[in-house]
């Protein structure tokens, strides 16, 4: 069976470590690509196996072309700057170019915007993208999952993103009630 190709990117918002953690938790069955920014390079002290890395300024990277056949992309976290560029069709770096390719090829694109509070401009951009089928999934925790640590909270949001990517996972405690 063909390996699915997933691109992970983190733009310059708080929580830039989330991209690295996603890569660490993705199963071996996935072909992993990571677009590195100056910020994420600093976090990349971690050892990562089986990940193809691309510099954000390398607009000629494989993942910049629709013909490469990326199946899904997740930008986590996604800054308001990157969100705005994607909503306006600007492709001035590899992250925004790859996102534009996902949109034109009608492939799955998940954005995890990180800001608090969201401005009306950011909400307008999210609304525009959501109506085009882009999944807006910010790193928001749920309290039913009973996380006690930051690590568990991160696993909860990554588990939700994996659900959207249709990657089986046991990263969080799912909602359960006794049915009578
Ligand atoms: C420490 C720090 C934290 C930041 N956190 C956020 C954030 O959570 N969300 C956001 O939209 N921008 C945040 N910014 C601002 C972005 O980094 C800035 O707008 C930058 O231009 C984004 O560029 P990029 O989209 O190319 O990564 C932060 C900046 C710094 C220095």
């Amino acid at each position: 069976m063909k390996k699915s190709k997933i691109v992970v990117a983190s733009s310059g918002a708080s929580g830039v470590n989330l991209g690295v953690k996603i890569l660490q938790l993705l199963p071996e069955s996935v072909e992993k690509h990571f677009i590195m920014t100056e910020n994420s390079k600093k976090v990349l002290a971690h050892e990562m196996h089986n990940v193809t890395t691309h510099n954000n300024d390398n607009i000629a990277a494989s993942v910049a072309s629709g013909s490469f056949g990326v199946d899904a992309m997740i930008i986590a976290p996604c800054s308001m700057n990157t969100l705005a560029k994607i909503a306006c069709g600007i492709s001035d770096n590899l992250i925004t170019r790859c996102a534009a390719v996902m949109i034109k090829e009608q492939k799955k694109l998940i954005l995890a915007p990180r800001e608090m509070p969201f401005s009306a401009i950011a909400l307008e951009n999210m609304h525009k993208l959501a109506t085009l089928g882009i999944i807006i999934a910010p790193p928001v925790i749920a309290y039913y999952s009973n996380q006690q640590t930051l690590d568990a909270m991160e696993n909860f949001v990554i588990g939700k993103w994996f659900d959207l990517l249709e990657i089986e996972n046991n990263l969080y405690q799912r909602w359960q009630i006794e049915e009578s």
Side-chain angles (χ1 to χ4, degrees), residues 11-14 79-82 85 93 114-115:
S11 61
S14 179
S79 71
M80 299 306 98
N81 178 60
T82 293
K85 286 186 195 173
N93 58 38
R114 215 302 323 166
E115 189 51 283

Side-chain angles (χ1 to χ4, degrees), residues 3 10 54 58-61 66 76 88 117 134-135 175:
K3 265 190 169 187
S10 303
H54 308 276
N58 181 14
I59 213 77
C88 292
I134 286 83
I135 301 172
W175 172 248

Side-chain angles (χ1 to χ4, degrees), residues 4-180:
S4 62
K5 295 177 186 170
I6 295 185
V7 176
V8 179
S10 303
S11 61
S14 179
V16 75
N17 59 305
L18 284 168
V20 176
K21 198 165 171 185
I22 291 170
L23 288 163
Q24 288 168 336
L25 291 169
L26 276 172
E28 285 300 314
S29 55
V30 169
E31 183 179 315
K32 297 165 226 174
H33 292 260
F34 182 52
I35 305 178
M36 296 190 298
T37 62
E38 286 308 313
N39 265 335
S40 51
K41 273 183 209 164
K42 288 175 203 153
V43 186
L44 276 177
H46 305 253
E47 223 186 312
M48 286 199 300
H49 302 283
N50 301 327
V51 179
T52 305
T53 53
H54 308 276
N55 277 322
N56 197 26
D57 56 7
N58 181 14
I59 213 77
S62 55
V63 294
S65 170
S67 66
F68 184 68
V70 172
D71 297 291
M73 178 184 192
I74 176 164
I75 307 180
C78 181
S79 71
M80 299 306 98
N81 178 60
T82 293
L83 169 77
K85 286 186 195 173
I86 295 169
C88 292
I90 294 171
S91 309
D92 63 343
N93 58 38
L94 189 57
I95 295 179
T96 50
R97 166 63 189 164
C98 194
V101 168
M102 302 309 286
I103 295 171
K104 84 178 169 77
E105 301 288 335
Q106 301 192 3
K107 295 285 177 63
K108 189 172 281 184
L109 174 59
I110 301 174
L111 302 184
R114 215 302 323 166
E115 189 51 283
M116 162 70 169
F118 289 126
S119 72
I121 297 171
L123 289 167
E124 222 176 273
N125 289 332
M126 285 185 233
H127 178 256
K128 180 178 177 183
L129 290 170
T131 57
L132 294 172
I134 286 83
I135 301 172
I136 305 295
V140 175
I141 60 161
Y143 291 86
Y144 61 77
S145 200
N146 198 27
Q147 308 96 353
Q148 303 292 327
T149 62
L150 179 60
D151 191 53
M153 287 176 199
E154 288 178 346
N155 282 353
F156 172 81
V157 290
I158 292 172
K160 297 286 285 185
W161 292 331
F162 281 11
D163 289 349
L164 293 165
L165 289 165
E166 295 171 60
I167 291 171
E168 263 182 57
N169 73 89
N170 240 339
L171 288 167
Y172 67 98
Q173 192 183 313
R174 290 166 193 275
W175 172 248
Q176 232 175 359
I177 45 167
E178 294 285 316
E179 306 281 359
S180 56

